[in-house]
Amino acid sequence: MSAPAHLDPRLLRAFVAVAEELHFTRAAARLYVAQQALSRDVRRLERELGAELFVRTTRQVTPTADGERLLPYARRVLQAQDDLLAAFGQARPLLVDLNSPGLATGRLVLERARSLAPEQELMARYESGLTHAAGELVAGRLDASFGRFAGLPAALRAGLGHQPVRYEPMAVVLPEGHPLARLDRVPLSALAGESVYAGAGNPRTPEWTDLAHRLFEGRGIHVASPAPLAVGEEEFQRIMDKTRNPILAVQSFPAMHSTVVRPLVDPVPLSPVSLVWRKGLAHPALDALRRAASQVATEKGWLGVPDGGWIPAADAAVMSVHK
């Protein structure tokens, strides 16, 4: 491999996208370019470097030894370019996942960050769960998200940074005609014998299902069987109307037709929420997002554990460490 005198960073971005996706169609979608243009850029880079970077078959794309050797250098060059543009106020938009429309924690932090850095562009995304979002963070398709950091596999956490934001009180969403709907607050013991929906089977949210299993263990509460994966509020409500299962949620869960949201008590279960980002990411809007998370958490007392609060020991340990 021979280094040319000049190298267009666009060609390196094309190469990195293909090397990470191992698929030209997905890489083109990630970069918002036509697949033909992406292939042309990769071929041009190969010509300029005098090396074949990928082995291409009809079924897969695999980096060659030269491609593997180039990848860490290309990533460093692109990060340096992003840092340079950010230093002169030309940073790209920061893509921030808020999980789902209507949830309060991420939205309030994002609104504060926008006020702290009005010259930056922070764009909201909705990836449903932190497990799915974390994969997007590592792949570089997303910059920040919110959720239960301790619920991610250790290998995935190793590539991510996190900042504790909130212990969010949990709730149960009940059909209006459910016997427990008449209560202002629902003791956990009152859910004994119930099957409560907690996202079982949803590949985007296993961290939430795991939290439910930890909360329900020894209390006679069952995690409801997987339901068809619903995309969008209307479809989710339609499926829940059919199953009639109570839904484990947080107290800020947006209202749905013919349901009520009731806080859970005795004990008060808490959902640990962190701001999560890809390690090594340097972006002025991320700095603003982190400042915003700290400010809002302090002002609202989000990181205080109320009397009778419940969190898993593993989460308490992770939430005590900033990365």
Side-chain angles (χ1 to χ4, degrees):
M1 185 187 298
S2 58
H6 303 286
L7 198 59
D8 187 342
R10 186 186 81 252
L11 306 184
L12 292 177
R13 288 196 187 276
F15 162 73
V16 169
V18 176
E20 292 179 346
E21 298 292 341
L22 300 179
H23 196 281
F24 274 85
T25 301
R26 289 197 298 267
R30 167 174 161 179
L31 296 176
Y32 299 98
V33 299
Q35 183 176 336
Q36 184 178 12
L38 179 71
S39 298
R40 185 169 59 246
D41 283 347
V42 171
R43 287 195 299 270
R44 178 182 162 191
L45 180 63
E46 288 178 321
R47 288 195 304 271
E48 293 191 6
L49 292 176
E52 185 179 14
L53 301 175
F54 296 104
V55 176
R56 305 161 175 84
T57 70
T58 56
R59 292 191 174 186
Q60 64 182 6
V61 178
T62 307
T64 64
D66 280 333
E68 294 282 3
R69 187 156 60 98
L70 175 62
L71 185 57
Y73 293 103
R75 283 172 169 155
R76 288 201 291 270
V77 168
L78 295 176
Q79 184 62 61
Q81 184 190 40
D82 288 343
D83 292 346
L84 184 151
L85 292 174
F88 287 88
Q90 300 179 39
R92 61 173 177 77
L94 192 80
L95 304 182
V96 184
D97 169 42
L98 303 183
N99 301 142
S100 297
L103 293 181
T105 300
R107 176 175 52 79
L108 290 172
V109 172
L110 179 60
E111 289 173 355
R112 177 64 61 86
R114 285 171 172 165
S115 70
L116 290 175
E119 74 284 359
Q120 299 295 329
E121 186 60 74
L122 294 92
M123 301 290 294
R125 294 290 187 271
Y126 302 97
E127 299 292 344
S128 295
L130 183 59
T131 297
H132 177 75
E136 299 294 284
L137 291 173
V138 171
R141 291 186 290 265
L142 191 68
D143 297 311
S145 185
F146 293 87
R148 182 184 169 229
F149 192 67
L152 298 176
L156 192 53
R157 293 202 307 264
L160 301 170
H162 89 108
Q163 176 178 325
V165 175
R166 185 177 189 181
Y167 291 112
E168 188 161 10
M170 296 167 72
V172 63
V173 181
L174 299 162
E176 285 182 342
H178 193 282
L180 296 177
R182 60 183 175 80
L183 301 178
D184 293 330
R185 301 183 301 170
V186 175
L188 270 171
S189 60
L191 290 174
E194 295 275 2
S195 291
V196 179
Y197 179 74
N202 186 342
R204 291 173 173 253
T205 60
E207 75 282 353
W208 182 253
T209 308
D210 175 72
L211 185 63
H213 278 295
R214 292 170 185 264
L215 176 61
F216 296 166
E217 185 178 9
R219 293 188 165 95
I221 310 170
H222 310 288
V223 172
S225 300
L229 184 59
V231 177
E233 293 180 27
E234 290 185 5
E235 279 296 280
F236 180 73
Q237 174 143 5
R238 185 180 67 83
I239 294 298
M240 291 299 100
D241 285 346
K242 290 179 69 173
T243 65
R244 302 291 290 174
N245 289 127
I247 304 167
L248 185 67
V250 293
Q251 291 186 18
S252 64
F253 189 82
M256 298 193 303
H257 177 68
S258 299
T259 65
V260 296
V261 179
R262 296 291 184 256
L264 289 169
V265 294
D266 301 330
V268 176
L270 302 170
S271 170
V273 180
S274 288
L275 169 62
V276 183
W277 63 89
R278 182 174 62 261
K279 277 187 177 177
L281 175 62
H283 195 296
L286 177 61
D287 297 338
L289 196 66
R290 295 190 64 182
R291 291 199 309 274
S294 179
Q295 287 181 10
V296 177
T298 299
E299 291 169 8
K300 295 185 175 294
W302 276 353
L303 288 173
V305 177
D307 292 340
W310 172 94
I311 53 172
D315 288 81
V318 167
M319 292 286 280
S320 67
V321 179
H322 295 214
K323 296 183 179 181

